[in-house]
């Protein structure tokens, strides 16, 4: 079996790769959500000329043809016999020990590995989507909005099937679906659990453990309220189109808001917050952000800004296609299209000049 696996090292025949630079050490775990190109990124990295002379072995631990307990029991001896320098364990399972001494021991997983150099693969941003797909700019945003930001383009039905695969059991899918239905909402896990308990039988431990796993793997994110750490957090996901796959209800404003969140997450990690009237606030820039894909109600939202004016020096308003400079009650603001914001990420320069 190991001989067959060695001979079937994957070939890179994709037309595109993630446009991201990562620093791999001898023991590296690349972890994160499904569907963001972790495997492709790793294989692409080790296809570079400096690794061409090294013997490589790639094992997909989820391969249905593989019985890890039986087929990999002599793996350590096999690595020595074949002089393997690079071992890549994809979809790693705890059934396989990680006590190998090699120039490169690489694990691809949904969560971090103890005693490894752990790298969390970030969600795909619009700029990377554009560079990776090489789509003409005038069509790129429409494609992005339709399919979302997963590595493979999946329509609504296929994305639903993908989510069921991700959840791996009907109970976990029930939990995941209900989490997704609260995308962009200010809510707590306790509130979601209480709602689910009214619908059916569910262990509290099971619910919280699964929710924690989703958070660890970068599938969902919680955004804190500025200066109110105990307040309900806002819930976002690594793919902003997920709600369309689990609900007939459409809320483009929340989809757009999740898109903006992912851009901010990439550049600011979680060093930003929400407030009562601002979708996002970045303290280091004293910058408030409003998501307004359509600006018809913008004046009403600006009028409702209250205490935010005490700590916010300027406003960035993100729309679909409007571009405008202005001032409201002494606070300067800029309205720019999402595409310009996502491609340039010039928050820390002269965006409000």
């Amino acid at each position: 079996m190991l001989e067959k696996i060695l001979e079937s090292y994957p070939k890179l025949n994709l037309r595109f790769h993630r446009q991201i630079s990562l620093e791999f050490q001898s023991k590296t775990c690349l972890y994160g959500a499904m569907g963001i190109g972790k495997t492709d990124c790793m294989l692409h990295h080790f296809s570079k000329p400096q690794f061409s002379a090294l013997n490589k072995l790639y094992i997909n631990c989820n391969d249905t043809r593989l019985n890890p307990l039986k087929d990999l029991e002599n793996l350590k001896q096999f690595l020595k016999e074949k002089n393997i320098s690079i071992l890549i364990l994809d979809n790693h399972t705890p059934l396989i020990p990680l006590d190998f001494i090699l120039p490169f021991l690489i694990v691809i997983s949904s969560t971090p590995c103890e005693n490894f150099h752990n790298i969390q693969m970030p969600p795909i941003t619009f700029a990377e989507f554009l560079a990776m797909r090489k789509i003409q700019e005038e069509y790129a945003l429409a494609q992005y909005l339709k399919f979302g930001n997963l590595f493979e383009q999946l329509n609504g039905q296929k994305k639903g099937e993908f989510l069921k695969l991700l959840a791996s059991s009907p109970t976990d899918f029930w939990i995941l679906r209900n989490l997704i239905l609260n995308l962009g909402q200010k809510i707590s896990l306790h509130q979601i659990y209480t709602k689910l308990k009214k619908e059916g039988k569910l262990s509290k431990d099971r619910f919280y453990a699964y929710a924690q796993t989703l958070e660890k793997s970068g599938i969902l994110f919680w955004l804190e309220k500025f200066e109110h750490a105990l307040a309900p957090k806002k819930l976002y996901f690594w793919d902003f189109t997920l709600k369309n796959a689990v609900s007939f209800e459409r809320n483009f404003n929340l989809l757009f808001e999740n898109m903006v969140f992912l851009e901010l997450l990439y550049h600011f990690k979680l060093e930003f917050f929400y407030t009562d009237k601002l979708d996002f606030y970045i303290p280091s820039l004293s910058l408030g952000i409003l998501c307004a894909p359509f600006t018809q109600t913008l004046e009403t939202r600006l009028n409702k800004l209250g205490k935010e004016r005490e700590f916010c020096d300027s406003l960035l308003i993100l729309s679909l296609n409007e571009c405008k400079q202005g001032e409201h009650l002494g606070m300067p603001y800029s309205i720019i299209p999402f595409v310009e914001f996502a491609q340039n990420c010039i928050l820390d320069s002269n965006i409000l000049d």
Side-chain angles (χ1 to χ4, degrees), residues 43-294:
L43 292 174
H44 189 244
H45 175 79
F46 285 107
S47 70
K48 294 176 182 178
Q50 62 264 40
F51 303 111
S52 60
L54 300 180
N55 293 331
K56 310 179 189 73
L57 179 64
Y58 168 89
I59 300 175
N60 180 359
C61 302
N62 273 355
D63 193 326
T64 55
R65 299 167 297 180
L66 186 68
N67 179 347
L69 289 175
K70 178 182 178 182
D71 297 330
L72 303 182
E73 60 182 353
N74 296 319
L75 179 56
K76 189 177 291 188
Q77 180 182 343
F78 184 81
L79 295 172
K80 186 176 181 180
E81 290 175 356
K82 300 298 181 180
N83 193 27
I84 301 296
S85 297
I86 302 171
L87 172 62
I88 302 173
L89 295 173
D90 202 349
N91 297 301
H92 176 256
T93 167
L95 292 174
I96 302 175
L98 296 173
D99 56 350
F100 311 108
I101 300 176
L102 297 167
F104 291 98
L105 173 57
I106 308 299
V107 170
I108 304 173
S109 178
S110 59
T111 54
C113 286
E114 191 175 352
N115 300 320
F116 270 65
H117 171 58
N118 288 292
I119 302 174
Q120 184 173 23
M121 190 76 156
I124 297 171
T125 61
F126 178 74
E128 190 181 0
F129 173 88
L130 190 63
M132 186 171 67
R133 299 279 175 182
K134 295 180 172 59
I135 304 170
Q136 291 183 6
E137 192 171 318
E138 58 266 34
Y139 305 118
L141 184 58
Q143 291 282 303
Y144 197 59
L145 292 170
K146 180 178 180 181
F147 294 107
N149 57 323
L150 295 185
F151 190 70
E152 294 185 43
Q153 291 188 336
L154 303 173
N155 60 27
Q157 181 179 349
K158 288 190 176 295
K159 191 159 289 187
E161 294 170 359
F162 169 81
L163 288 173
K164 287 184 177 181
L165 179 66
L166 168 66
S168 76
S169 77
T171 299
D172 286 349
F173 179 71
W174 178 39
I175 297 171
L176 177 60
R177 181 178 182 276
N178 278 273
L179 287 165
I180 293 170
L181 289 174
N182 287 284
L183 183 150
Q185 302 298 322
K186 302 167 188 175
I187 198 164
S188 68
L189 279 176
H190 175 71
Q191 289 172 303
I192 299 173
Y193 173 69
T194 301
K195 174 182 176 292
L196 289 179
K197 279 286 289 182
K198 294 177 181 178
E199 296 179 6
K201 188 176 180 181
L202 178 62
S203 158
K204 186 176 181 179
D205 290 343
R206 170 82 175 267
F207 172 80
Y208 279 94
Y210 184 57
Q212 186 178 46
T213 298
L214 294 175
E215 185 176 2
K216 279 184 178 180
S217 61
I219 287 173
L220 62 79
F221 304 91
W222 295 99
L223 183 66
E224 205 172 280
K225 185 177 182 180
F226 182 58
E227 295 184 333
H228 290 82
L230 298 180
K233 297 176 174 60
K234 291 177 81 171
L235 179 58
Y236 298 102
F237 289 84
W238 90 111
D239 173 15
F240 58 87
T241 65
L242 292 186
K243 193 171 181 181
N244 293 346
V246 298
S247 173
F248 289 107
E249 294 182 10
R250 296 290 185 265
N251 189 322
F252 185 78
N253 287 337
L254 288 180
L255 180 149
F256 188 83
E257 188 179 311
N258 202 148
M259 278 171 53
V260 174
F261 170 83
L262 292 174
E263 299 294 330
L264 295 175
L265 180 70
Y266 184 84
H267 294 286
F268 292 92
K269 306 308 176 189
L270 278 173
E271 296 175 1
F272 60 99
F273 306 85
Y274 80 89
T275 76
D276 287 329
K277 303 302 179 184
L278 295 172
D279 294 319
F280 305 108
Y281 174 63
I282 306 175
S284 61
L285 302 178
S286 297
L287 177 68
I289 297 176
L290 292 177
C291 299
F294 312 106

